[in-house]
Amino acid sequence: MRRRGRSDWATQTPTWRQARPALIDDALKRACARPSGNWFVVGASRDVRTGGHPCGRTVGGTEVVLWRSETGELRAGPGACPHLGAPLRESRVVCGTLVCHWHGLALDGGPFAGWEPFPVHDDGVLVWVRLDAVGGEEPSERPVVPERPAPGGGVDAVFTAVGRCEPQDVVANRLDPWHGSWFHPYSFVDLTVARPPLGDEDDAFVVDVSFRVTGRLVVPVRAEFTAPEPRTVVMRITEGEGSTSVVETHATPLTAEGAARPRTAVVEAVVAASGRRGFALARAAAPVLRP
């Protein structure tokens, strides 16, 4: 941590001259060409609780319902009851079985009367669902989960916002590191792109930046931005305080492809790590302090 001098927002660098549209567009094209296996992030793992109510999500115009069995195993499938189309997100979970609130039809997560479950994956931080009809790619057994700090060694938080845009707009925004200290001066200062992507073999924006703590106190780090699949951008701290910490941005389409007014869920997962002694206390207190 260091104390920095005062600076003028309007005269900072880098400027628009360094933020080359062609470079960003090429990085976006490479990201979009990578396989996703038809997996989509639908939210935080902790949002789907054992013994709790089901969760309803919309992905690419498809209604999805998620819940957990009595042993905590994740279940997912179409959001409409196969009987008369009741919204299953409003139903109840009884002993790990989803019971429709209209007529009591019970679903244990297996196929039933035309209701076919969706493949689902819980990576410990986020929940993913595979929708082959929406993705249109060759399906894969597991999603492309970014590398994170060792399990049990970090503190995670997940935030979701919805924007009127397409997933590619979100990815393009995250693959433009130059805008960071201009558009987010309350968080980032002294940003420099140390190295742009070199192509598929080394496709990362390497950035030197300081995170603003409070007032003029900042934490300088080196970070890299990568896109492991078409709807994910990862910022990973590689040097400095919090090394190995990641901020993942996942862009999940809510509307069907070609919608006149597309909407996208932006799911941001932060997994923070630190070698400081006090961080262990913060990690232990996280379940109590987390909203």
Side-chain angles (χ1 to χ4, degrees), residues 32-43:
C32 291
R34 296 184 178 113
S36 72
N38 302 326
W39 290 93
F40 299 84
V41 168
V42 292

Side-chain angles (χ1 to χ4, degrees), residues 9 12 14 173 176-189 191 209 225:
W9 174 84
Q12 67 176 309
N173 175 269
D176 169 18
W178 291 277
H179 84 279
S181 56
W182 285 97
F183 200 71
H184 308 286
Y186 47 84
S187 296
F188 307 113
V189 292
L191 186 150
V209 64
F225 290 78

Side-chain angles (χ1 to χ4, degrees), residues 227-242:
E229 57 109 71
R231 292 176 291 275
T232 299
V233 176
V234 180
M235 185 199 76
R236 176 176 289 100
I237 296 177
T238 57
E239 297 178 26
E241 177 65 39

Side-chain angles (χ1 to χ4, degrees), residues 21-47:
L23 190 62
I24 299 168
D25 188 56
D26 287 345
L28 176 63
K29 288 177 180 177
R30 289 193 296 271
C32 291
R34 296 184 178 113
S36 72
N38 302 326
W39 290 93
F40 299 84
V41 168
V42 292
S45 175
R46 65 177 59 89
D47 287 346

Side-chain angles (χ1 to χ4, degrees), residues 192-206:
T192 302
V193 176
R195 197 199 71 201
L198 302 178
D200 282 321
E201 297 302 318
D202 193 357
D203 201 1
F205 287 92
V206 179

